[in-house]
Amino acid sequence: MRYAIANVPVKLNETDESVIRYLAAHLKLDAAAIITAVCVRRALDARRKNEIHFVCTYEVELNQPLDPLPGNCRLIEHSALTPTTPEIFTRRHDGKQHAIVIGAGPAGLFAALSLAEAGIRVTLLERGKPVETRMRDIGRLRSRGELNSESNICFGEGGAGTYTDGKLYTRIKHPYLRWVLHTFVRFGARADILVDAHPHLGTDKLVRIVRNMREHLSGLGVDYRFESRVDDLLISAGAVTGVRITNGEEIDADHVVLATGHSARDTFERLQQLGIRMEAKAFAVGLRAEHPQSLINSIQFGAHAAEPALGAAEYSLTHQAADPHLGHRGIYSFCMCPGGLIVPSPTEAGGMAVNGMSNAKRGGQWANSGIVVQVTPDDISRHGIPDDPLMGIAFQRQLEQVTFQAAGGQYAAPAMRLTDFVNRQATGRLAPTRFKPQAIASDLHALLPVWVATPLAEGLRGFDRKMRGFITDEANLLASETRTSSPIRIERGDDMQSVSISGLYPVGEGAGYAGGIVSAAVDGLKAAAAIIEQHHR
């Protein structure tokens, strides 16, 4: 008999034998009754700094049934660690259908994978370069300040998420979620992503995983093309019939999965010209904070800060700001990268933005996180930008151009000590930083709109009340964090197709339906499932 037991407290360095003794006592059994005990879920509880421990779920196999069941125990048939392919993706096609997938980020890769494995012919078009070459272009931006507008942090194989922390945790609940995690393991991820409450891959591991997926897709016969930006959709009688790519080639298809990512502004502009319905949606902008990782460890873990089992500490903070003139506004930390780097993430000449990344070991000296404020379409229209589905893009672009000019017309980051920003004192002094190509001391209050800067300062003070020591002379804020999510949503129906044109499946972050690697991958799978289901009716 197999059971899942939740809320099992486990000390930082507790042995397997000790855990089994605890489980046996909890179940009122002799330890010999436990055949196997496997941790399938693990979360860190650091609320009490003198009692930091893990809270786990264990799957146990017993040589006898439990009667009655303890409150935190349930009978199970299959282990959470055993991959189970959703039934829809086991159906096979005859290869006559052709699907074009635009974008090789998580939504596009998982859509292409499931379609190809179901026997549907797939062409995968990526405007950027292979992940290996893309790394060199990003290196030139960081070392020389040279931007390649088609190969950067946002554009290229793997999508924007490849150059973050490879975070795999998500708030969504969907049957495909576990299959996404198992698929990452299948292509080279560590098996502990199936267990950790906050799993991550790290940029270095994601590069290898994405390359393995490419090799598998190519082996399935997927026509995998790089530097192939889609410039136009081919449309006939209200249905998409294919695409036109950069070199003028037209490719016919029965289905087009649009998985462009959140920064494909030229694509969104062309979709609007074609009359494809979309709407402006809320997103967030702000700054990126950089602290010494040792300081964050000390704040979060106290006397246990140097404990190897804990690794690099992270944080997730929120604050609601209220101002009689600016109204209520949410401020929150975003894409926190322990032991990582802040990296330049512009995609357009004359604009500057920043993002964060870290490798799998999270072993760097610095912690960084976006500190961002909610922005709504109403906010933007009240401050001079016309009401339009692409108004969020116009606001992002405006802020990025101001940031670029504040850095002296180069791909450097205007920066300010965190204490100076909160106190509104532009001292011109910066804390040590790892940012490349350059951080330039600037008055960030002069750069940001007041309705962004003022709530951010209040939010930082609120963060310090929750994490004493967060406001410190040892930390910098770098500008500007603008690419948190897509500022548009392409309207689609329950069948996953655009409400304006049949056969077009807008998915992932770019289409406004996801907020991270896993949710984007799930959204790509949902589109693939709709295509497969359509031809099995």
Side-chain angles (χ1 to χ4, degrees):
M1 308 292 287
R2 186 183 295 272
Y3 300 87
I5 306 170
N7 300 319
V8 177
V10 177
K11 297 177 183 178
L12 294 183
N13 295 297
E14 193 158 1
T15 65
D16 292 342
E17 292 79 6
S18 178
V19 171
I20 288 175
R21 286 196 298 271
Y22 171 87
L23 292 171
H26 180 71
L27 299 174
K28 297 180 171 57
L29 296 173
D30 188 275
I34 299 179
I35 301 171
T36 60
V38 179
C39 178
V40 297
R41 183 76 170 170
R42 178 178 57 228
L44 184 67
D45 186 342
R47 290 173 294 178
R48 297 179 180 177
K49 300 297 184 287
N50 61 338
E51 296 180 6
I52 296 177
H53 62 282
F54 295 105
V55 178
C56 302
T57 297
Y58 273 81
E59 288 183 357
V60 299
E61 185 179 358
L62 305 178
N63 62 13
Q64 62 188 73
L66 286 175
D67 188 20
L69 286 177
N72 63 338
C73 184
R74 60 185 175 86
L75 180 67
I76 58 174
E77 294 183 10
H78 304 288
S79 170
L81 302 182
T82 302
T84 303
T85 303
E87 186 274 334
I88 187 70
F89 300 127
T90 64
R91 303 179 188 182
R92 293 294 177 264
H93 282 254
D94 56 13
K96 294 180 180 179
Q97 291 289 312
H98 180 213
I100 292 173
V101 177
I102 304 173
L109 285 172
F110 275 80
L113 176 67
S114 51
L115 290 170
E117 291 188 337
I120 293 174
R121 187 161 58 91
V122 175
T123 299
L124 178 56
L125 302 174
E126 168 55 53
R127 70 187 294 166
K129 297 181 182 180
V131 69
E132 306 93 332
T133 313
R134 180 185 178 196
M135 290 177 67
R136 292 194 288 272
D137 291 329
I138 293 169
R140 278 191 286 272
L141 177 58
R142 293 188 67 225
S143 62
R144 305 176 192 171
E146 298 175 0
L147 172 66
N148 183 329
S149 60
E150 294 294 329
S151 179
N152 44 61
I153 291 289
C154 295
F155 294 152
E157 186 181 25
T162 302
Y163 291 92
T164 59
D165 191 37
K167 296 172 184 64
L168 300 181
Y169 41 96
T170 177
R171 292 185 179 92
I172 70 167
K173 304 292 183 184
H174 195 278
Y176 296 163
L177 195 154
R178 294 296 297 178
W179 193 65
V180 168
L181 296 180
H182 281 287
T183 301
F184 277 121
V185 173
R186 172 184 168 193
F187 288 106
R190 303 181 311 274
D192 59 13
I193 68 169
L194 303 174
V195 174
D196 289 339
H198 283 184
H200 75 282
L201 296 170
T203 290
D204 51 339
K205 302 299 183 185
L206 259 171
V207 167
R208 178 167 54 88
I209 291 166
V210 168
R211 188 169 57 237
N212 290 343
M213 292 186 76
R214 180 210 312 161
E215 291 172 357
H216 177 73
L217 288 168
S218 297
L220 292 172
V222 171
D223 185 4
Y224 204 127
R225 303 194 195 184
F226 295 104
E227 299 181 74
S228 297
R229 186 183 67 232
V230 171
D231 289 338
D232 212 352
L233 299 179
L234 307 179
I235 300 170
S236 177
V240 65
T241 61
V243 302
R244 182 181 297 112
I245 61 175
T246 312
N247 63 6
E249 180 184 356
E250 294 186 354
I251 307 171
D252 295 333
D254 302 288
H255 317 275
V256 174
V257 178
L258 187 67
T260 59
H262 58 46
S263 293
R265 294 168 174 174
D266 46 6
T267 301
F268 301 145
E269 290 164 357
R270 180 55 183 152
L271 294 177
Q272 186 181 43
Q273 292 169 1
L274 291 171
I276 293 173
R277 277 172 49 185
M278 61 184 81
E279 61 183 1
K281 75 171 186 64
F283 57 107
V285 300
L287 306 168
R288 188 154 281 265
E290 183 181 56
H291 289 79
Q293 183 63 53
S294 58
L295 174 65
I296 300 300
N297 290 351
S298 179
I299 295 172
Q300 296 294 71
F301 298 151
H304 295 280
E307 172 58 58
L310 293 175
E314 31 186 324
Y315 59 82
S316 178
L317 298 167
T318 62
H319 179 80
Q320 286 294 318
D323 184 280
H325 304 292
L326 302 176
H328 292 268
R329 198 174 300 275
I331 299 92
Y332 57 95
S333 59
F334 168 80
C335 186
M336 197 270 153
C337 298
L341 299 168
I342 298 178
V343 290
S345 58
T347 59
E348 296 178 330
M352 178 60 186
V354 293
N355 201 346
M357 61 162 281
S358 55
N359 288 327
K361 291 184 178 180
R362 293 176 163 178
Q365 297 180 14
W366 304 94
N368 71 81
S369 177
I371 308 296
V372 295
V373 58
Q374 293 173 333
V375 175
T376 68
D378 286 344
D379 292 325
I380 298 170
S381 63
R382 281 197 299 268
H383 293 86
I385 293 179
D387 191 354
D388 178 87
L390 303 185
M391 62 197 306
I393 291 175
F395 175 68
Q396 287 176 324
R397 185 175 279 145
Q398 183 182 92
L399 183 53
E400 290 166 11
Q401 290 171 349
V402 169
T403 304
F404 183 78
Q405 293 304 319
Q410 57 184 324
Y411 297 106
M416 195 174 189
R417 280 195 312 190
L418 199 158
T419 45
D420 291 348
F421 181 81
V422 170
N423 295 325
R424 297 202 65 162
Q425 296 177 338
T427 66
R429 295 192 297 271
L430 294 178
T433 176
R434 282 285 308 280
F435 181 80
K436 294 180 180 180
Q438 185 182 5
I440 298 175
S442 308
D443 183 356
L444 299 186
H445 280 276
L447 185 155
L448 296 171
V450 65
W451 54 275
V452 173
T454 300
L456 281 177
E458 181 184 334
L460 288 165
R461 288 189 287 268
F463 291 177
D464 191 70
R465 290 191 289 271
K466 297 175 181 178
M467 282 181 63
R468 290 296 183 186
F470 190 86
I471 294 178
T472 172
D473 283 344
E474 297 181 72
N476 292 315
L477 297 172
L478 282 73
S480 292
E481 176 87 42
T482 56
R483 309 293 181 99
T484 55
S485 63
S486 179
I488 63 105
R489 176 173 287 114
I490 303 172
E491 297 183 43
R492 71 187 188 193
D494 293 340
D495 60 1
M496 299 293 293
Q497 297 180 63
S498 163
V499 298
S500 304
I501 176 172
S502 63
L504 180 67
Y505 296 79
V507 298
E509 285 205 46
Y513 293 96
I517 291 173
V518 170
S519 59
V522 167
D523 209 50
L525 289 173
K526 287 164 62 178
I531 292 170
I532 294 169
E533 177 66 30
Q534 180 180 339
H535 295 283
H536 272 275
R537 290 174 183 161

